[in-house]
Amino acid sequence: MNIFHRKRKKLSTDTLRNGVKLITDVDPKDIVSEQFRTVRTNINFSAVNQKLKTIIFTSSAVSEGKSTVSANLAVIWAQQGQKTLFIDSDLRRPTLHTTFGLLNTNGLSTALSTDIDFNSVVQKTAIDNLSVITSGPIPPNPADLLASSRMKELISYFKTIYDVIILDVPPLLSVTDTQIIAAQVDGVVLVVRQGLAQKLAIKRSTELLKMVKANLLGYVLNDVTPKNGYGYGYGYGYGYGYDNKSK
């Protein structure tokens, strides 16, 4: 596909400073919001015979939009009436607390490194049906915490309370964290940014997921430039595609 051979776009640290744009909350009727709803529908139908309660969104490399996609889809599920929990499992470059304007004194790292009550790190948002667990202080050993029995217990516990649990995780090729979590959840969605993602990187990412027997549901094609030259609104012009045949 020619999208993998376009000029590479400059990496950005904007989401670390300012969080991501929640167009699904700000303008639910925008065409991009509608496309997010289409992505949600396709994810739901990608596993008709299996109830998807825990889903992670990742990418091959940084700045491909995984946090934007996961945050907006968390909003979409909540708007659908699903009791949704959004967990910032990126313990290296967390953004969720900035996106939702929340304190990050305690969070996932706190819950995994101490015997604190899991419920005490859950924070409500201004969006109905949507709660979050921020990353907490950045730990020296993210991979060890995510691979711990405490993480398995946390996921199992919240599955009894929430309809959908979405986890934002690091890029696959950067660290081992995502492989660890991918083996524990019901499904994985790979975010691919047009003009940035490389074909070999995507291939390697899928291989890493297969190594841990993760359930790869498909991909979200991000930052698409329509053939007619006109992008979609809200400043950043995202278009989204989904393909559940990319296993």
Side-chain angles (χ1 to χ4, degrees):
M1 298 173 63
N2 61 8
I3 66 170
F4 301 117
H5 301 287
R6 293 176 180 267
K7 184 178 179 180
R8 297 189 68 180
K9 298 179 182 180
K10 185 178 179 181
L11 298 179
S12 171
T13 59
D14 181 65
T15 55
L16 288 176
R17 298 190 304 269
N18 305 314
V20 303
K21 298 177 178 66
L22 294 176
I23 188 171
T24 48
D25 179 45
V26 175
D27 192 354
K29 295 183 179 180
D30 187 271
I31 189 170
V32 178
S33 296
E34 183 58 38
Q35 289 172 331
F36 273 121
R37 282 189 283 272
T38 299
V39 171
R40 178 210 62 203
T41 299
N42 287 338
I43 291 175
N44 288 341
F45 279 104
S46 68
V48 177
N49 298 321
Q50 177 189 4
K51 175 65 175 178
L52 295 174
K53 295 201 71 172
T54 52
I55 304 170
I56 67 173
F57 291 83
T58 187
S59 57
S60 299
V62 298
S63 298
E64 293 199 53
K66 66 177 181 59
S67 295
T68 297
V69 172
S70 60
N72 278 282
L73 282 169
V75 173
I76 287 292
W77 260 296
Q79 289 174 340
Q80 190 186 24
Q82 300 290 298
K83 190 175 182 182
T84 305
L85 178 64
F86 187 19
I87 305 176
D88 196 340
S89 305
D90 191 338
L91 301 182
R92 301 170 192 267
R93 289 167 52 93
T95 60
L96 189 153
H97 61 288
T98 306
T99 297
F100 290 93
L102 301 171
L103 293 175
N104 196 29
T105 306
N106 292 315
L108 182 61
S109 63
T110 315
L112 299 182
S113 61
T114 70
D115 60 357
I116 191 172
D117 188 301
F118 289 148
N119 291 301
S120 67
V121 297
V122 178
Q123 299 187 57
K124 297 290 186 180
T125 71
I127 299 170
D128 290 342
N129 300 313
L130 180 59
S131 298
V132 303
I133 297 178
T134 62
S135 68
I138 296 177
N141 57 338
D144 292 339
L145 289 181
L146 295 173
S148 67
S149 59
R150 183 84 171 160
M151 181 65 177
K152 294 182 179 66
E153 292 171 7
L154 182 144
I155 292 176
S156 295
Y157 173 73
F158 284 120
K159 283 178 72 173
T160 66
I161 299 175
Y162 291 89
D163 299 315
V164 181
I165 301 172
I166 298 174
L167 300 93
D168 184 26
V169 295
L172 271 160
L173 301 185
S174 301
V175 290
T176 61
D177 303 17
T178 298
Q179 276 184 285
I180 293 169
I181 302 178
Q184 304 179 40
V185 298
D186 298 328
V188 180
V189 176
L190 191 64
V191 177
V192 179
R193 183 178 179 185
Q194 176 176 286
L196 178 64
Q198 299 298 302
K199 190 172 183 178
L200 289 178
I202 297 170
K203 181 179 179 181
R204 178 56 180 162
S205 295
T206 58
E207 290 172 349
L208 291 175
L209 291 172
K210 289 179 181 178
M211 286 175 61
V212 296
K213 298 181 179 180
N215 180 22
L216 180 57
L217 301 173
Y219 71 86
V220 173
L221 185 59
N222 177 24
D223 208 5
V224 176
T225 302
K227 292 181 180 180
N228 62 11
Y230 293 95
Y232 298 120
Y234 204 63
Y236 47 83
Y238 282 178
Y240 294 88
Y242 186 81
D243 180 7
N244 61 13
K245 298 180 180 179
S246 61
K247 297 183 179 180

